[in-house]
């Protein structure tokens, strides 16, 4: 298991993760990043404004960025109402 830090940012504001979390493997890294995003949205609510600009920037302990996960609103995380399909990772990153 490797320790990673999960920082949240919209480019001008940051929520820094000083402790980090132990994660096993790339799929667990993505799941943890999504959980961090959901926790931030629930914790800060409307106080942070538009979540579309926010990302979880995952760093190893040397400070190297290893993953970026966009915040995705709850209704977008299931299905797109216009197409009835799940959004692709590329569409989520473009959002």
């Amino acid at each position: 298991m490797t320790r990673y830090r999960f920082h949240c940012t919209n480019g001008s504001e940051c929520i820094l993760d000083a402790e980090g979390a132990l994660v096993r493997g790339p799929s667990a890294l993505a799941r943890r990043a999504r959980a961090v995003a959901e926790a931030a949205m629930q914790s800060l609510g409307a106080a942070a404004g538009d979540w579309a600009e926010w990302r979880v920037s995952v760093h190893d302990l040397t400070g190297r960025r290893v993953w970026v996960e966009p915040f995705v609103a709850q209704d977008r995380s299931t299905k797109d109402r216009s197409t009835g399909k799940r959004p692709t990772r590329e569409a989520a990153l473009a959002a």
Side-chain angles (χ1 to χ4, degrees):
M1 290 174 76
T2 305
R3 183 171 297 278
Y4 295 95
R5 292 193 172 107
F6 297 80
H7 307 303
C8 300
T9 185
N10 65 358
S12 61
E13 299 174 280
C14 294
I15 303 169
L16 297 177
D17 177 8
E19 183 179 333
L22 291 172
V23 178
R24 180 177 300 169
S27 62
L29 191 68
R31 280 193 308 273
R32 174 70 181 172
R34 286 189 294 272
V36 166
E38 288 176 18
M41 287 188 288
Q42 288 178 355
S43 175
L44 297 176
D50 183 14
W51 291 112
E53 299 298 319
W54 284 80
R55 307 282 183 263
V56 179
S57 182
V58 183
H59 299 259
D60 64 17
L61 293 183
T62 68
R64 183 175 62 100
R65 186 173 62 191
V66 297
W67 188 266
V68 175
E69 184 74 28
F71 279 35
V72 179
Q74 291 289 355
D75 60 317
R76 289 184 57 203
S77 66
T78 54
K79 291 185 179 180
D80 182 345
R81 291 181 183 147
S82 63
T83 64
K85 297 180 181 176
R86 287 186 163 290
T88 63
R89 177 153 176 78
E90 292 77 18
L93 289 173

